[in-house]
Amino acid sequence: MTKPSKPSVDRICVRPDLPLPEPTAPLTAPIQPTSVWRCETTAQADALLGGELSGYVYQRDGHPNADQLAERIRELHGAERAAMLSSGMAALAAVVLSQLRSGDHLVVSDQLYGRSSLLLEQETERLGMTHTAVNICDLDAVAAAMLPETRLIVAETLANPRLRCADIPQLAELAHKNEALLLVDNTFATPALCQPLRWGADIVMESVSKMMNGHSDVMLGALCGKQRDWERMARVIGAWGLASSPFDCWLASRGLATMALRMDRACASALAVAEHLQQHAAVAAVDYPLLPEHPDAELAARLCNGKGGSIVTLHLHGGREAADRFIRQATDIPFCPSLGEICTTVSHPASTSHRGLTEPQREKLGISGGTLRLSIGLEQADELLQFIDRGLASE
Ligand SMILES: *Cc1c(COP(=O)(O)O)cnc(C)c1O
């Protein structure tokens, strides 16, 4: 009797998955973590890799979860093209690597996200580019900073932590007069409030890790722009390895479904918080774009669809000691140096986002030891005011 052949455990384990027969289609898009796709013929592989045929071959060069999410974000921004990247910083890097070359000059806001300043001011220098950092709200200063070789202006719709609003239409005009591009980081506003391309920007970047996903469990960036500027984008994302993960895109699609609802709630609470803080004896000043005292109140309301966003910055009497007391006492408001969570969180710019600056530099931006930045979450507004009051109470 011949011995039955050994059941091929190996064979079963390594066998490629077969597509399941599907008479119905799933309502929710499946996560497709496959790193590679099966090709049918050599001619097809040739055409796919040569770009004559559109389709998936290798995850780094494109995958369905990224394309589904990018398509939605493209529509939100009214853009011709959109791309997903592994983080907001990867998105910014892709703009530099696809649009600029050695010898180019950048005009960058002096109030950018810390890592953005690092990339655009220091890393670009190593690549042979130069830059001028300016107060982006001072349009004369921006105009004066433009050089014949300026190719890119970089601004944030609402800047951290004073929530100064960039005059996107005017900046676009200055950029285009110089044949430069205007790149707007729209992370604090989200497309729920502002669509910078509609105001004249050429490229908009979003850190999807923040409010757009909204659940603090994803790292992703998005870029939207014009066909004209997209020629090198896919090549740069593939060649420099800046691509997104299918799982993160799938989670962010889920988060994005509630972005408008979450932003509505957070913006309404943020205004209530800002008005409440203004009345509090422990608070020296409050920054919120909808407060009439805010230097850009009118502009922000116009560009952000009448909303002020979900971030409120307060300046406490009593400096860093008072900030530490708030963090210690407001036990329902976690101290997290990020933003866009489900719950309200607090950050302390002087020890986190702006710790790399000298004290006089921080002072110039209006950041003291007593400055706190609240990222407003989805709590009921009156409960949230109680959480805040507990933090502000004297011991
Ligand atoms: C977080 C953030 C970034 C960077 O995005 P990541 O997804 O963390 O890489 C850029 N700009 C702003 C305004 C941000 O808040």
Side-chain angles (χ1 to χ4, degrees):
M1 210 176 110
T2 54
K3 242 169 112 187
S5 65
K6 194 165 148 240
S8 181
V9 171
D10 290 349
R11 167 82 189 103
I12 293 166
C13 290
V14 305
R15 190 172 55 205
D17 285 332
L18 290 174
L20 297 170
E22 289 189 33
T24 51
L27 178 61
T28 304
I31 308 175
Q32 297 193 48
T34 187
S35 61
V36 70
W37 276 259
R38 298 167 72 138
C39 302
E40 280 174 0
T41 61
T42 56
Q44 189 201 41
D46 222 5
L48 282 166
L49 291 166
E52 296 106 51
L53 183 65
S54 78
Y56 303 109
V57 181
Y58 193 58
Q59 191 196 101
R60 190 195 341 92
D61 294 328
H63 59 84
N65 293 109
D67 285 349
Q68 282 163 334
L69 180 57
E71 176 54 21
R72 227 183 261 269
I73 297 174
R74 186 193 67 74
E75 268 188 73
L76 284 170
H77 276 297
E80 292 171 11
R81 299 297 301 267
M84 298 308 305
L85 300 102
S86 58
S87 67
M89 290 316 300
L92 214 49
V95 173
V96 169
L97 296 168
S98 66
Q99 307 299 320
L100 303 178
R101 61 174 72 226
S102 167
D104 287 347
H105 175 257
L106 302 88
V107 171
V108 301
S109 161
D110 63 0
Q111 298 176 45
L112 293 179
Y113 181 73
R115 288 285 191 275
S116 305
S117 298
L118 180 71
L119 170 64
L120 297 169
E121 297 184 20
Q122 294 177 35
E123 293 300 308
T124 53
E125 206 170 293
R126 295 190 58 246
L127 299 175
M129 300 162 198
T130 56
H131 74 274
T132 309
V134 294
N135 173 3
I136 210 81
C137 299
D138 180 349
L139 293 169
D140 292 334
V142 176
M146 299 297 286
L147 302 175
E149 61 270 28
T150 307
R151 292 281 75 88
L152 189 70
I153 299 181
V154 187
E156 291 178 10
T157 313
L158 297 171
N160 179 35
R162 306 295 310 274
L163 307 170
R164 293 299 309 265
C165 182
D167 192 332
I168 298 170
Q170 298 278 350
L171 289 171
E173 207 176 302
L174 282 173
H176 299 157
K177 239 191 324 196
N178 214 71
E179 286 176 43
L181 300 176
L182 173 62
L183 165 65
V184 175
D185 178 341
N186 195 50
T187 302
F188 274 44
T190 81
L193 270 60
C194 181
Q195 295 106 35
L197 300 180
R198 300 190 204 274
W199 295 102
D202 300 285
I203 304 179
V204 60
M205 168 257 176
E206 301 275 5
S207 168
V208 178
S209 323
K210 313 290 170 54
M211 283 79 102
M212 284 184 76
N213 173 57
H215 294 70
S216 343
D217 48 14
V218 147
M219 271 290 129
L220 277 181
L223 287 174
C224 292
K226 300 183 172 138
Q227 178 65 34
R228 181 196 74 193
D229 304 319
W230 232 250
E231 203 180 301
R232 287 172 41 75
M233 198 59 85
R235 173 204 284 247
V236 159
I237 295 171
W240 292 81
L242 306 173
S244 59
S245 115
F247 187 55
D248 279 3
C249 288
W250 185 85
L251 276 175
S253 293
R254 198 177 149 134
L256 192 64
T258 58
M259 175 185 68
L261 287 172
R262 288 185 286 103
M263 284 304 285
D264 271 354
R265 175 112 194 215
C267 289
S269 299
L271 179 60
V273 166
E275 286 172 343
H276 178 76
L277 286 170
Q278 272 193 314
Q279 310 299 322
H280 203 289
V283 178
V286 182
D287 299 317
Y288 189 66
L290 290 191
L291 296 178
E293 300 83 331
H294 191 278
D296 309 316
E298 227 170 276
L299 176 67
R302 180 159 61 90
L303 297 190
C304 295
N305 201 19
K307 301 206 171 90
S310 56
I311 308 295
V312 181
T313 297
L314 61 148
H315 309 272
L316 292 171
H317 291 299
R320 185 142 176 179
E321 218 169 285
D324 270 321
R325 188 167 62 234
F326 182 95
I327 288 165
R328 198 166 58 244
Q329 293 180 172
T331 47
D332 292 297
I333 303 179
F335 171 33
C336 295
S338 185
L339 60 143
E341 283 78 30
I342 283 285
C343 67
T344 297
T345 58
V346 60
S347 184
H348 181 249
S351 65
T352 62
S353 51
H354 294 73
R355 60 187 290 279
L357 302 185
T358 62
E359 195 151 340
Q361 283 173 322
R362 281 198 293 266
E363 216 164 275
K364 199 169 139 230
L365 297 177
I367 300 166
S368 75
T371 300
L372 289 173
R373 189 195 72 199
L374 293 169
S375 164
I376 303 301
L378 307 182
E379 300 89 349
Q380 290 273 356
D382 27 352
E383 194 175 28
L384 179 55
L385 295 182
Q386 289 172 23
F387 295 167
I388 290 170
D389 282 348
R390 222 172 291 149
L392 294 174
S394 47
E395 273 166 317

